[in-house]
Amino acid sequence: MPSLTSPPQVMPAEWTRHERTWMAFPPPNDTFGEDGSPSLAHARRLWTEVANTVARYEPVTLVAGIGHGAAAKALVRPDVTVVELPLDDAWLRDSGPTFVRDSASSTGVTAVDWVFNGWGGQDWASWERDDQLARQVAELAGHPSRRSRLTMEGGGFHVDGEGTVLFTETVQLDPGRNPGWTAADVEAEVHARLGTSTAIWLPRGLARDYDEFGTRGHVDLVACFVRPGTVAVHVQRDRAHPDYELTHEIAERLRTSTDARGRRLEVIEIAAPTVIEDGDGRPVDYSYINHYVANGVVVLCAFDDPNDSAAAEALSAAYPDRTVELVDARGIFACGGGIHCITQQQPAVG
């Protein structure tokens, strides 16, 4: 039975009204390239195209590394706010704060500051600056932050705003993130921080996400809530792709799951793009699930693929009060993630 007492802290669903969106401007690093390189310039154009798209619907703040604010301002609309903070990378969904509505806070909102350690302490990652980013962004937003003991990224969970949270076992229970933690430990910490009460665990993420530069299974490539009681799930239709069996297993698991209100979940299957390999012959993790829901808009990953239009139609039906904007995300995925991975919502107060 659901609790009759509302928790003091609740993470609203992504489709509730936002105060603004936060993003980061790609800094020079091993992923994007050295300062002045064509690869870094290309990444910055991709990130700012998303920022400019979202900014047509709600305020956007773009965090640039120290000394890179002018380069960011040259690429964004005049109404995008640019601030400078020390950065290691540009996946703000993961390194930035998770904002929750908080009845005990004087501002009505608190930021959860998860421990960030470069997706499980991966050899190629740097995170000393990014582990400070959640607190710094919260300060700029004018809200207090509270540090969690749990190592977790924003792309590693998804909530319905009514007490249910989605996880993957290979992220929260990753010994590189949370050695010694049990599923019960993770659930207790997350429920206390996000106001959830029911966790649905999926076995793993998409195959490509376990490559050297992957996150080891972020759920925001696999499944997401689109409204209370309803979840969209990535389904691979091509039997030759290593995600074929997994995604069908996940869809079936979700169909037999119930949420915090006791509802059996309705599942909307979103077919993966038809392309199954990149130019190097590796399986792609292109996913329409990795979209971002902002005020009046769904910013949807596009792949110049025949299934782009079908995904747009399905998400238009799932979010009937929003415009679906398609943005080519192939270059973002080539860097290691998608549109949801580079955006983070700050909910409106009240």
Side-chain angles (χ1 to χ4, degrees):
M1 292 291 292
S3 172
L4 298 178
T5 304
S6 297
Q9 293 185 189
V10 176
M11 182 182 180
E14 193 170 309
W15 55 81
T16 58
R17 186 136 191 99
H18 299 175
E19 180 74 22
R20 69 178 51 247
T21 292
W22 291 83
M23 296 180 63
F25 190 58
N29 64 17
D30 290 343
T31 299
F32 303 120
E34 297 179 358
D35 204 4
S37 67
S39 60
L40 178 60
H42 180 58
R44 287 173 165 178
R45 287 193 296 271
L46 295 170
W47 261 244
T48 54
E49 182 179 2
V50 175
N52 289 332
T53 300
V54 176
R56 295 203 297 270
Y57 297 88
E58 68 178 62
V60 173
T61 296
L62 183 65
V63 180
I66 303 300
H68 295 282
K73 288 179 181 179
L75 293 174
V76 294
R77 293 161 45 110
D79 55 354
V80 172
T81 301
V82 175
V83 298
E84 292 190 4
L85 291 172
L87 287 178
D88 291 304
D89 222 316
W91 309 97
L92 200 81
R93 172 69 52 179
D94 293 346
S95 57
T98 296
F99 289 102
V100 297
R101 289 185 179 146
D102 186 353
S103 60
S105 169
S106 61
T107 67
V109 169
T110 294
V112 181
D113 178 6
W114 311 107
V115 178
F116 180 74
N117 74 342
W119 303 277
Q122 300 205 44
D123 292 342
W124 52 266
S126 298
W127 58 86
E128 182 178 350
R129 298 179 185 92
D130 280 358
D131 189 41
Q132 305 299 314
L133 196 56
R135 174 184 53 80
Q136 294 168 334
V137 167
E139 289 176 359
L140 289 174
H143 296 300
S145 62
R146 295 194 178 100
R147 183 73 162 177
S148 171
R149 299 179 299 113
L150 183 67
T151 301
M152 190 164 72
E153 306 89 39
F157 64 92
H158 208 279
V159 302
D160 66 351
E162 294 191 354
T164 316
V165 60
L166 297 175
F167 295 135
T168 51
E169 294 172 8
T170 57
V171 171
Q172 281 75 25
L173 303 182
D174 174 15
R177 289 176 167 96
N178 299 299
W181 286 60
T182 65
D185 295 333
V186 171
E187 289 181 21
E189 176 67 5
V190 171
H191 292 340
R193 299 290 179 173
L194 303 185
T196 50
S197 59
T198 297
I200 299 174
W201 290 88
L202 304 180
R204 57 180 285 119
L206 302 183
R208 176 66 175 268
D209 208 14
Y210 296 87
D211 278 6
E212 180 183 4
F213 300 108
T215 71
R216 301 175 183 161
H218 272 187
V219 77
D220 68 354
L221 290 169
V222 181
C224 67
F225 290 104
V226 296
R227 57 180 175 267
T230 303
V231 63
V233 61
H234 174 88
V235 175
Q236 177 56 247
R237 305 293 191 196
D238 193 321
R239 290 179 179 271
H241 195 287
D243 290 327
Y244 176 82
E245 291 186 4
L246 171 73
T247 57
H248 285 79
E249 175 190 343
I250 287 174
E252 186 57 31
R253 178 176 294 199
L254 289 168
R255 285 192 191 92
T256 60
S257 297
T258 54
D259 66 12
R261 301 292 180 94
R263 295 171 291 216
R264 180 67 64 91
L265 290 180
E266 176 188 352
V267 172
I268 300 173
E269 294 189 359
I270 307 290
T274 60
V275 62
I276 64 171
E277 293 182 345
D278 64 13
D280 297 324
R282 296 181 300 169
V284 295
D285 56 357
Y286 292 169
S287 173
Y288 300 112
I289 298 301
N290 200 262
H291 58 270
Y292 179 57
V293 183
N295 297 341
V297 68
V298 176
V299 187
L300 177 61
C301 298
F303 305 99
D304 191 24
D305 190 273
N307 282 352
D308 287 358
S309 58
E313 183 177 348
L315 291 173
S316 290
Y319 304 103
D321 57 341
R322 286 173 164 83
T323 300
V324 175
E325 296 263 14
L326 288 143
V327 176
D328 192 330
R330 289 172 293 177
I332 302 174
F333 271 81
C335 293
I339 289 172
H340 194 254
C341 306
I342 67 175
T343 50
Q344 180 61 273
Q345 68 272 11
Q346 178 187 333
V349 177

